[in-house]
Amino acid sequence: MKITFGTDFGCCFVDLGKTRVMAQVSSELVTPKESRPNEGIMFFNIELSPMASPAFEQGRQSELSVKLNRQLERCLRNSKCIDTESLCVVSGEKVWQIRVDVHMLNHDGNLMDAASIAAITALCHFRRPDVGIQGDEVTVFSPEERDPIPLSIYHMPISVSFAFFQQGTYLLVDPCEREERVMDGLLMIAMNKHREICSIQSSGGIMLLKEQVMRCSKIASIKVSEITELISKALENDKKARKAGERCGFAESMPQERITALKMDETPVEMTDVTEKANDIVHNADAPPQMVPSPVVPIPGVGQVGQGVQSTWGLEEDDEGEEEENDNSGEEQDEKVTRMEEEKLESREGDVVEISDSEEEEVVILNPEKVSKNTGYTSHHKGAAATQKRKRK
C-alpha cells in the first residue's frame, strides 16, 4: 500500500496494489437538519468513472456504486468516528457540511478497502477554515488570517475484505479483480485499532460458520492495526514536510527531470565538415540489394505483397476482362446519350413529341401529321400528342 497527499489539505491518493483511489474533502456552511440542529452533516459520494474500468458508465449510478456508497456511510458515519457536534457554528442556523468525494482512478479489485482508507486518511488530513461570531454575523477567516482547524476524529474505522472460494473452503484477503469474478462470497469487516467492529456485511449468498467469522475478525484486527500505523506515519511525514517548507504533495511524488525538465545541460553538436562526412558515408556504404523478381502466383486468388515487388493477386485476366466490359458498356451508354440529344434537337426544330419512360429504353417519336378537314382521325391524333407533350412539360 502507498499513501500520498495532494497540494491542498484533504486530498489523498491510495494505491492498493494496482487499484488507485483519490479522496477529496471539502466543507461548506449550510442550514442543519431540523431533527438535529446542533450537529454537522457528513456526505459521502463515490464516483466510478470509465477511466478506472471500461465496465463503468459515465453519469449513471450502477448497483456497485450504490453498494459502495452505503457501505462507506455505514463504516464512517454510523460508527460515529467524527464528532459532528463540533461542526456546529450557530445552533439551528449554521453548521459545517463535510463532503467526501472518492474517485476511482484504476480498478483492480477491492474498491471498498481502498475507498475506506482514502476517505478516513483525507478526513484526518483535512483542515476546515476558522470561524468568528460577532452577534448575528458569522465571519469565515482565510488560511492567511487564521490557521485552519482539523476535524476531531475519535477513531479510524478501516474496512477489510475477505473472499471465499468453494463454499467457504478457501479464504483470501484483499482479492483482486480477477479473483472477485470467480469468488463465491464476500465478507467485509470494518474495524478500528481498538478491536471494535464498526460494521460487518456478507454478500454472495454463502453460508458461513461462526468459526470462520471469528477467524476473519482476528485477521482483520491485525491488518487494521498495521494500516492505522501506516496512515499515522504518512500524516506525520506530510506534517513535517509542510512545516519545514520541503516538497510535499504532488511535488514529492513527482521525480525531478522525469515529468518536467526545469533545466537541462546543452548537448554539444559538431557542425563543421558535415557535407564531407555525409559524402564519405554515402561513398563507403554498401550497395543496395538486388530487387527480387516477382514469382509466378501458382493458384488464382493467392496474393503477394512485398517491398519493391509489384503486388499481384492472381486475378489479372479477370480484371482485364472486367475493364474491357466496363469500357464497352461505357461506349454504348455514350452512344445512347448522343442519340437522345440529337433526337431532342430534332424535336425542338420540328413539332415532334417524344415519349420516353427511362433513358435506357428506346425512344418513341410521334411526328404530327398534316391537318385534314374531311376526317376526324388526325385531329384526335393531334390532341393525343398535345396531351403527351403537356404531361412531359
Side-chain angles (χ1 to χ4, degrees), residues 63 102 128 131 152 155 160 177 205 219 233 329 351 358:
E63 294 181 3
V102 181
R128 67 171 178 83
V131 178
S152 56
H155 58 91
V160 182
E177 195 253 343
I219 297 173
K233 286 184 179 179
S329 61
D351 295 330
S358 63

Side-chain angles (χ1 to χ4, degrees), residues 83-109:
D83 184 14
T84 54
E85 292 184 358
S86 64
L87 300 175
C88 178
V89 179
V90 179
S91 178
E93 295 182 6
K94 294 288 184 183
V95 295
W96 285 107
Q97 179 186 9
I98 305 299
R99 178 187 175 97
V100 183
D101 290 291
V102 181
H103 295 267
M104 302 298 172
L105 303 180
N106 191 31
H107 172 38
D108 192 41

Side-chain angles (χ1 to χ4, degrees), residues 264-291:
M264 295 294 291
D265 297 332
E266 294 183 358
T267 305
V269 180
E270 187 68 27
M271 298 298 293
T272 58
D273 302 334
V274 176
T275 308
E276 296 179 0
K277 289 183 179 180
N279 292 330
D280 293 340
I281 292 172
V282 172
H283 182 71
N284 298 328
D286 297 334
Q290 296 293 329
M291 301 301 292

